[in-house]
Amino acid sequence: MNNHYTALDNGRPDWDQFVDIIHNSDVEAIGITDYFSLKSFFKFKEQYTRKHPDDGKVFFPNLELRLNHAVHHKGAEVNIHLILPPTLTEQKAELLLSNLEMSNRDMSSNSGRHLKCSEIQDWGKDELAKASLSIDAIINGLIATFPVTRENIEEAAIIFVSGRDDGASPGKELSGIKEDAIDAIDISTHALFSRQKDSNYWLKKDRIKRESGSKPKPTFGGCDAHNFDELRKMLGKSGEDGNRKWELTWVKGDLSYDGLLQTLAEPEGRVRIQDSKPDSKDPFRVIDRIEFRDAHYFPKSIQF
């Protein structure tokens, strides 16, 4: 939908350049994102493993989808991301896409049935601009693909929603209908892609008025790069360029899908959007050992 990565002379994607930029970055966990498709994730993994078979980075499939309604006053439909386990197989990915049913009536096939995501992966930009589905269709597709229920859906995929104007941000106007729509999205998702200044709001336990308590959610930033220059400039860095700003996200946890799941249980302590590493300290503030004057009762020194 917004691909500005320059291709090789033969028209094929420049995977070597893409792989090398990521390899040279100090980011350890990276989501490989594509729109209504997971093909690029598996192609990337193949190319990356070929060039760097012993690399310790972890790559998450990120399936970006669009809901069939908007809540922001600008009118952009809500963007939803499914972060799936790195161990996802191509067969399971294809099954998931075949279980995700589109909601647009003008996209129905001649037989009257609604199309599935697996049937539109080769569509062009103009056709994909009409593609959308409901949050229920996403949850039902995950349940049909993986051994999960609504209560443990995060074991199949962590559902992220954008917290910006293409997501769950209401903008300037907030009617009762819009508030209900945002609450419904909030209840059905696990985490946010947004900015540092929004993170405290999503940690509040009184966000959803009609619920006895709202579950605090972690907020993640991302480089969201759409060309090679942006990827070099934004991946693992913070900065500002014109109207665009990008920030660093730090995650405290194991470098795995389970580590990412832990952020849902402890969002405030596990995820931070800021320039410096959250637990970095000046050397003079760190106690490295204790020495005892009377070594008769205590050891001479204890090294931490």
Side-chain angles (χ1 to χ4, degrees):
M1 287 295 292
N2 193 16
N3 178 17
H4 299 288
Y5 287 98
T6 52
L8 299 171
D9 292 340
N10 59 12
R12 294 181 178 178
D14 189 353
W15 283 114
D16 281 343
Q17 187 176 179
F18 191 75
V19 162
D20 288 343
I21 294 173
I22 289 178
H23 175 69
N24 293 328
S25 164
D26 62 356
V27 180
E28 295 182 81
I30 297 174
I32 305 298
T33 309
D34 210 344
Y35 207 60
F36 284 88
S37 174
L38 289 162
K39 288 181 179 178
S40 292
F41 170 76
F42 293 104
K43 186 64 177 176
F44 164 78
K45 271 190 66 176
E46 174 190 322
Q47 298 293 327
Y48 199 94
T49 303
R50 173 181 60 83
K51 294 198 72 174
H52 308 288
D54 300 321
D55 199 313
K57 295 182 188 290
V58 173
F59 303 107
F60 294 89
N62 181 7
L63 178 62
E64 184 173 2
L65 305 166
R66 186 199 292 118
L67 295 188
N68 56 351
H69 61 273
V71 296
H72 195 275
H73 72 277
K74 291 183 179 179
E77 283 105 340
V78 174
N79 279 352
I80 290 281
H81 297 253
L82 304 186
I83 303 293
L84 297 142
T87 54
L88 182 74
T89 64
E90 290 190 63
Q91 292 77 13
K92 209 69 169 178
E94 189 62 29
L95 180 60
L96 172 61
L97 292 167
S98 67
N99 284 327
L100 292 174
E101 186 175 273
M102 313 304 297
S103 58
N104 308 56
R105 294 190 181 279
D106 58 349
M107 290 173 56
S108 296
S109 65
N110 294 331
S111 64
R113 66 177 179 82
H114 287 291
L115 293 174
K116 306 296 180 70
C117 283
S118 57
E119 299 175 85
I120 69 168
Q121 292 181 75
D122 296 323
W123 282 15
K125 181 176 179 179
D126 292 339
E127 293 173 305
L128 277 175
K130 303 174 184 178
S132 68
L133 69 173
S134 68
I135 191 72
D136 281 340
I138 293 172
I139 292 172
N140 291 336
L142 289 169
I143 292 172
T145 307
F146 302 96
V148 293
T149 65
R150 282 181 176 264
E151 287 67 36
N152 67 336
I153 202 80
E154 68 277 3
E155 293 182 16
I158 301 175
I159 305 176
F160 279 72
V161 61
S162 168
R164 307 294 297 279
D165 54 10
D166 60 350
S169 171
K172 298 176 182 178
E173 306 165 6
L174 186 60
S175 64
I177 295 175
K178 186 180 287 189
E179 189 173 20
D180 288 344
I182 293 173
D183 286 350
I185 294 169
D186 195 344
I187 291 168
S188 301
T189 55
H190 304 114
L192 280 295
F193 279 134
S194 197
R195 300 161 293 189
Q196 187 276 331
K197 67 178 186 178
D198 301 327
S199 57
N200 285 337
Y201 172 79
W202 296 105
L203 291 171
K204 289 182 178 181
K205 296 181 179 180
D206 60 350
R207 297 188 314 274
I208 305 175
K209 306 304 179 187
R210 55 194 173 91
E211 294 282 318
S212 58
S214 310
K215 189 173 182 179
K217 294 182 178 180
T219 300
F220 293 72
C223 71
D224 194 26
H226 294 273
N227 59 58
F228 288 120
D229 288 340
E230 289 179 353
L231 194 62
R232 289 189 188 91
K233 183 168 59 177
M234 298 176 178
L235 186 61
K237 303 177 180 70
S238 61
E240 196 168 350
D241 185 3
N243 295 324
R244 193 170 184 186
K245 184 178 180 180
W246 53 97
E247 300 171 303
L248 278 174
T249 300
W250 302 87
V251 179
K252 182 180 180 181
D254 292 336
L255 195 57
S256 65
Y257 189 75
D258 284 342
L260 205 55
L261 284 175
Q262 191 64 36
T263 67
L264 308 185
E266 301 172 293
E268 188 172 9
R270 294 279 178 176
V271 184
R272 253 347 128 68
I273 300 177
Q274 61 184 55
D275 287 347
S276 60
K277 191 174 181 179
D279 64 350
S280 61
K281 306 175 185 69
D282 295 322
F284 72 88
R285 297 183 184 275
V286 179
I287 298 173
D288 59 358
R289 70 183 183 276
I290 289 180
E291 295 181 351
F292 297 93
R293 292 179 179 176
D294 187 350
H296 181 72
Y297 297 103
F298 301 98
K300 184 177 181 180
S301 175
I302 296 178
Q303 189 81 24
F304 292 134

